[in-house]
Amino acid sequence: MLSLETVSYRYAGSRTPSLVDVSLSLGRGEVVGLVGANEAGKSTTCLVAAGLAPRAIGGALRGRVAVDGQELGDLPPGELASVVGIAFATPQLSGICSTVYEEVAFG
């Protein structure tokens, strides 16, 4: 189970948080769509849930993010990647490829 408990996140350099007191639980095998307006915090929620924020992108995180009771911040990067991942609708890595296939092939 993935759980976020009263999670708040502020990007580095920002004065205001992008997420404030977000709580959710997702069971194993559960599929959920996260929808909302631009700048509503959808991608930020996913980055936090995947353990990438603040680890890979900086910023400040409050609250608890865990998978099966194990806090993601306690896991080494290699182990984190085997526990939780993220896939965006459009390529996010290089910014020059137009499909996920091209993005993976580019690497």
Side-chain angles (χ1 to χ4, degrees):
M1 174 190 298
L2 170 69
S3 64
L4 280 68
E5 298 172 13
T6 58
V7 168
S8 294
Y9 177 75
R10 181 181 49 79
Y11 284 97
S14 177
R15 292 180 184 200
T16 58
S18 295
L19 301 178
V20 178
D21 294 332
V22 173
S23 295
L24 64 90
S25 294
L26 302 175
R28 187 169 302 281
E30 188 172 356
V31 176
V32 175
L34 188 57
V35 297
N38 289 344
E39 305 292 320
K42 302 176 301 293
S43 294
T44 303
T45 300
C46 291
L47 289 169
V48 167
L52 297 174
R55 182 182 298 214
I57 62 172
L61 177 70
R62 288 187 307 113
R64 183 171 189 268
V65 182
V67 172
D68 295 333
Q70 174 72 47
E71 292 206 33
L72 295 186
D74 296 342
L75 297 174
E79 192 174 334
L80 175 64
S82 70
V83 173
V84 65
I86 186 170
F88 288 100
T90 58
Q92 300 287 315
L93 301 174
S94 70
I96 61 171
C97 299
S98 60
T99 68
V100 173
Y101 177 83
E102 291 171 345
E103 191 69 54
V104 172
F106 180 78

